[in-house]
Amino acid sequence: MISAAGIAAQLTELALAVVLAPLLTGWVNQCRAWLQNRSAPGLLQPYRMLAKLFQKEVALAHNASPMFRTAPYLVFGCLCVAAAIVPTLGTDLPLNAVADAIALVGLLALARMFIALAGMDVGTAFGSLGARREMLVGFLAEPALLMVLFTASLISHSTSLATIVETLAHRELVIYPSMAFAGIAFTMVSLAENARIPVDNPSTHLELTMIHEAMVLEYSGRHLAMIEWAASLKLFVYSCMGLALFFPWGVAEGGDWLGIVLALPGLFVKLAIGGAGLSLIETVSAKLRIFRAPEFLGTAFLLAVLAMLVHVLLEG
Amino acid sequence: MLASPLHDVLACALGWLAIGLVGVFQPRNFWLVTRVLFPLGAIIGLAIAATALAAIFSPPSSLVLPLGLPDLPFHARVDALSCFFLLLLGSVSAGVSVFAAGYFRRGEGTPPGLQCLYYHVFLSSMALVLVADDAYFFMVVWETMALSSFFLVTSDHGSAEIRRAGFLYLLIAHLGAIAILLCFGALQSGTGNYTFETMRAVQPTPLWATAAFLLALVGFGAKAGIVPLHVWLPEAHPAAPSPVSALMSAVMLKTAIYGLLRVTFDLIGWPLWWWGVVALVIGLVSALFGIVFAAVQTDMKRLLAYSSIENIGLVMAGFGLTILFKAFSMGALAALALTATLYHCLNHAFFKSLLFLATGSVLHATRERSLGKLGGLIHRMPWVAWTALVGTIAIAGLPPLNGFVSEWLLLQAFLFTPGLPHSYLNMLVPVAAAMIALTAALSGYVMVKFYGVVFLGQPREAKLAEAHDAGIRERIGLLWLAAGCVVLGLAPVAAIGLIDPIARAFTGHGLALGGAAGWLMLAPISAERAAYSPLAVLLMIALLVTIAWLSVRLFYHGRMRRTAAWGCGFPHLDARMQDTAEGFGQPVSVVFEPFFRVDQAVPSPFDAKPRYRQSLDDRLWHWLYLPVVRAVDKATALVTVLQRGRISVYLMYSFATLLVLLLFVR
């Protein structure tokens, strides 16, 4: 049942996600700079960026509709709820019960739909091009993500993320072929969904390669800040989802304070390693042409379906 | 209130007929038709919905009507399944009728009075289909439904394209009707008694039962638009006036689902497991096929028509799963799958009629159906745009609206399938679940295309600047349906409560609702397995959005400057540089290329006036239908040999026939 302590723990987790998300982005950028032999911009650079954007005024296109102005907040709100659903620190939090893995995918899709619609709102060539590409990536990545989560759900006989984490954390420590396939698929999907190399490049403004950046080209000031923050949150959510599915050890079971505080250092270490891994992938791989992205994501989808099949056939 | 719910329903159906008849006698009285008759029809719709809502939990009641042939009277019966679909019919048609009151304009196509007749006969026949309790009555009202909708589809019969669409519709409707007739023939099991009462009592042999099921699948499938019997759907829906497209897509397709459920679970009773596999496969193929074709459409109503095929496919998949679970006596899971199926019927009725009506308003305001000539309408038509956004989110299957709830239930049902006592079936599950997931994701893509191209961006034509928003009656209709989408999305437990009696009647089980979390939390099996609370999700999003917005305002500022869109240094940005509908569909046409028959002409680099043309066609039309058309043409060519055009030859034929008959009959 919902208790005051539970709500407090939930709020802590949510606040932690919102505050820490830009730090994770900063960490990934820093690792990438090191790997590429550049001098790094500093861990706190994303925060400075956000502060700068918030202070700037908004330059809004003449025919931008209310949709354009509300979308950044809606996207941010959806991703906050998604961050609250994923069991990052503890499994027995009140919001874990109101939405399961399928609802989590739905929330991420809702955020994507709003931002794609906002991209089409002003009616520039770049905006609609970006929106189309984002939706292309989305419709291939979303089912793959759903399949990965289904594999975990079949193992734990539940689509509730909390139950999934609890079940997976208590399994015997051997390599399950289904989870191995699912892990590869999940990595590929996360790269695509977070606008990372090889599908998209977060630091480019070249028209032929942009996806996410093209879509939000028209945004400025506080709206852009909300979108950037939401993008960091998305990376954070995906990272935590990956940790919850594939490295669930250390997450507090139950909603007591002590467990959550103890889970915190574990989360930091796991995120730091995960972020470094992401920057390594980004450094060693090349950006794909946009026409190759469906193949990349199709492979991810296939692997995810294979994961489910393997589970049904071998481990069922 | 009359004696029983059945009396009430029949009275309402008669009321609709009476409204139609009044329209005939005043065919050109525009004021009467739009200000009195259509609103009255909407009120009757509400009355039917209220009756059905009240009667859904009461035991079935039946009646022998003093109609029909002397020794073959019409039987009528109303039970939970009828009530559920009557509720769907009543509540959706109320919104559509109010909209239609503002939609039909002077001097367009058929006179308004006749339009009113066909429209209300259509409504009335759909209501009667749902209460018919013998094959004779059922076929009479089923055909009335087909004919009245045919006249509605061809109401703008001046155009050859629309006449062709109407012909195709009528043809396939009748092929379906023949199959349904044969299905009832198989079901009466030699008793010669065609009441549903007898069919329920008699247990057909597996062979006859299978024949009946397959015939029902073909017959009702033709009406529902499953692949490969779908070809009429994308032709007929765009041809009809928008309120009619809304009714056809939202309600008429559901009467076919009603028929399938009635035959399979009520008249046959005990389905065989492999029927479920057939229905499941057909459903999945239809769903993927429909949504892939929707993605490449350039006509907004065709896009929605293809999306109807997709949704019917999802419903069929749920239906197939229900059969599977029921055949293996897994009652609770059959109840879950049946709930998902029926819930999706209800949801689709609301969001699809909402979107069809929105396209109707757009069509009226702009006289344009082609996506390539629309755009930016959110500024000119805010009412239509914002209500359509509700429909868009709902149909894309996104939380917290209704489309998500039924897809969630369906996916939950799939996740239980590995418990089936059949290892090959268990292997089917991942593939099926993957197809459902892909379809759901693609529908998001399609709806972004639909909404973005029609309502967002810059107007692609100069005349769009004169577009006007919907009138007051149109707005009420749109708001009613949008409210339906929201309520069905936020209060799933209440809606599932309505499906519960049907699930209990057909599967012997209900869903475990009303547990610890009560009406707020949807947990069909148990809270540990899966739970979802749309209201909490919506409240959380609203709360966080408000907090984010307020804190940005509080800590920073609200300064804003209006300026031209950033053109990357290129000074001549115009509306034609936006993505077109073709452009938005291009990735799908590349990824799913084998689905299409592509016919394209690409200009060479040296063309002075380059023209780019591409048409994507349905392969099934060329593989399946055109050969049949050619065969019929050949056969008729053979028969024309007999046709000499001389009276003496024909007299010869008669004489020869007479001789042959005499020889045999003697």
Side-chain angles (χ1 to χ4, degrees), chain B residues 251-443:
Chain B
V251 189
M252 191 183 77
L253 302 190
K254 305 303 166 343
T255 61
I257 301 296
Y258 163 81
L260 264 179
L261 292 171
R262 173 70 71 200
V263 167
T264 314
F265 294 119
D266 192 21
L267 302 187
I268 299 179
W270 281 101
L272 303 179
W273 66 267
W274 63 266
W275 302 353
V277 178
V278 173
L280 183 62
V281 169
I282 287 181
L284 292 172
V285 169
S286 301
L288 191 61
F289 175 93
I291 201 66
V292 166
F293 270 81
V296 299
Q297 297 308 310
T298 54
D299 175 321
M300 55 180 177
K301 290 181 85 176
R302 275 180 86 93
L303 184 148
L304 291 181
Y306 274 112
S307 146
S308 288
I309 299 179
E310 176 234 335
N311 281 289
I312 285 295
L314 292 180
V315 169
M316 288 293 288
F319 169 65
L321 211 53
T322 315
I323 297 181
L324 267 178
F325 285 135
K326 187 173 159 76
F328 289 118
S329 308
M330 298 158 88
L333 298 182
L336 176 62
L338 186 64
T339 307
T341 310
L342 290 173
Y343 208 128
H344 200 69
C345 284
L346 196 56
N347 289 340
H348 180 244
F350 272 93
F351 55 61
K352 189 50 69 64
S353 52
L354 172 61
L355 289 175
F356 262 123
L357 295 186
T359 63
S361 290
V362 169
L363 192 59
H364 252 307
T366 63
R367 315 235 145 238
E368 200 55 71
R369 237 168 59 190
S370 164
L371 287 169
K373 295 182 177 167
L374 293 166
L377 290 176
I378 194 170
H379 299 286
R380 315 291 321 173
M381 317 177 68
W383 279 89
V384 178
W386 290 105
T387 43
L389 182 65
V390 173
T392 305
I393 296 175
I395 198 171
L398 297 177
L401 291 183
N402 60 350
F404 180 75
V405 181
S406 45
E407 277 177 21
W408 187 84
L409 286 170
L410 190 59
L411 287 172
Q412 291 293 352
F414 267 105
L415 284 178
F416 282 103
T417 331
L420 287 175
H422 212 291
S423 56
Y424 286 117
L425 282 182
N426 287 339
M427 279 169 58
L428 192 72
V429 186
V431 181
M435 276 178 80
I436 298 263
L438 182 62
T439 311
L442 263 170
S443 72

Side-chain angles (χ1 to χ4, degrees), chain A residues 216-306:
Chain A
V216 302
L217 197 61
E218 206 44 53
Y219 274 111
S220 57
R222 55 178 183 276
H223 295 154
L224 186 58
M226 290 317 281
I227 286 180
E228 294 285 332
W229 204 342
S232 313
L233 252 176
K234 193 171 178 184
L235 182 64
F236 188 83
V237 169
Y238 269 91
S239 312
C240 289
M241 210 186 333
L243 296 179
L245 288 179
F246 304 104
F247 305 97
W249 308 283
V251 174
E253 285 170 31
D256 59 329
W257 277 96
L258 193 64
I260 287 183
V261 172
L262 285 179
L264 207 54
L267 178 71
F268 271 104
V269 172
K270 284 194 278 187
L271 278 178
I273 297 173
L278 174 60
S279 55
L280 188 66
I281 294 176
E282 281 206 282
T283 308
V284 298
S285 51
K287 165 97 175 59
L288 289 173
R289 289 170 72 212
I290 182 75
F291 309 112
R292 302 290 297 279
E295 290 171 28
F296 178 79
L297 288 164
T299 314
F301 184 39
L302 223 62
L303 282 173
V305 176
L306 212 59

Side-chain angles (χ1 to χ4, degrees), chain A residues 20-106:
Chain A
L20 284 186
L23 189 67
L24 178 63
T25 312
W27 167 245
V28 173
N29 286 343
Q30 189 158 45
C31 287
R32 202 162 50 157
W34 286 337
L35 283 169
Q36 293 168 353
N37 221 358
R38 293 185 280 129
S39 56
L43 260 184
L44 301 179
Q45 185 59 27
Y47 295 101
R48 290 184 209 117
M49 191 76 174
L50 287 179
K52 180 188 83 181
L53 285 173
F54 273 124
Q55 267 149 14
K56 289 198 165 200
E57 73 173 353
V58 171
L60 197 68
H62 285 302
N63 71 328
S65 72
M67 168 84 87
F68 188 78
R69 296 165 60 180
T70 42
Y73 298 101
L74 282 170
V75 172
F76 184 77
C78 289
L79 283 160
C80 282
V81 177
I85 295 171
V86 179
T88 2
L89 292 173
T91 55
D92 194 23
L93 298 175
L95 270 187
N96 286 341
V98 303
D100 64 349
I102 305 174
L104 175 69
V105 176

Side-chain angles (χ1 to χ4, degrees), chain A residues 1 14 50-51 53-67 69-70 73-74 76-78 80-81 84-85 95 97-100 102-107 109-110 113-114 116-118 120-126 128-129 131-132 135-136 138-140 142-143 146-147 150 153-154 157-160 163 217-218 222-223 226 291 294 301 305 308-309 312-313, chain B residues 378-379 386 389 392-393 396-400 404 408 411-412 415-416 418 423 426-427 429-431 433-435 437-438 440-442 444-445 447-449 451-453 455-459 521 527-534 536-537 540-541 544-545 548-549 552-553 556-566 568 573-575 577-579 583-584 586-588 591-592:
Chain A
M1 223 43 256
L14 176 59
L50 287 179
L53 285 173
F54 273 124
Q55 267 149 14
K56 289 198 165 200
E57 73 173 353
V58 171
L60 197 68
H62 285 302
N63 71 328
S65 72
M67 168 84 87
R69 296 165 60 180
T70 42
Y73 298 101
L74 282 170
F76 184 77
C78 289
C80 282
V81 177
I85 295 171
L95 270 187
V98 303
D100 64 349
I102 305 174
L104 175 69
V105 176
L107 273 173
L110 186 67
M113 181 155 180
F114 274 121
L117 286 177
M120 296 181 80
D121 186 56
V122 174
T124 58
F126 271 122
S128 37
L129 174 139
R132 185 214 312 167
M135 291 313 288
L136 168 69
F139 89 69
L140 291 162
E142 189 189 314
L146 211 49
M147 286 298 110
F150 277 2
S153 307
L154 283 180
H157 300 290
S158 166
T159 56
S160 151
T163 319
L217 197 61
E218 206 44 53
R222 55 178 183 276
H223 295 154
M226 290 317 281
F291 309 112
F301 184 39
V305 176
M308 213 166 150
L309 259 174
V312 170
L313 290 183
Chain B
I378 194 170
H379 299 286
W386 290 105
L389 182 65
T392 305
I393 296 175
L398 297 177
F404 180 75
W408 187 84
L411 287 172
Q412 291 293 352
L415 284 178
F416 282 103
S423 56
N426 287 339
M427 279 169 58
V429 186
V431 181
M435 276 178 80
L438 182 62
L442 263 170
Y445 184 90
M447 289 332 286
V448 166
K449 166 180 167 167
Y451 194 83
V453 173
F455 293 107
L456 302 178
Q458 302 175 43
M521 189 77 82
E528 287 75 42
R529 260 222 81 133
Y532 165 59
S533 170
V537 170
M540 277 303 289
I541 294 178
L544 287 163
V545 167
W549 187 77
V552 168
R553 276 297 153 98
Y556 295 97
H557 56 84
R559 283 206 304 278
M560 179 151 21
R561 180 164 51 92
R562 286 278 182 172
T563 167
W566 168 234
C568 303
L573 273 187
D574 67 29
M577 291 174 190
Q578 300 174 86
D579 224 352
F584 214 95
Q586 190 264 350
V588 173
V591 174
F592 294 98

Side-chain angles (χ1 to χ4, degrees), chain B residues 463-494:
Chain B
K463 67 176 178 183
L464 297 185
E466 277 110 60
H468 55 86
D469 206 349
I472 181 76
R473 278 160 293 173
E474 292 175 62
R475 281 181 206 173
I476 295 174
L478 290 169
L479 281 177
W480 169 259
L481 295 168
C485 292
V486 173
V487 169
L488 285 173
L490 293 185
V493 177

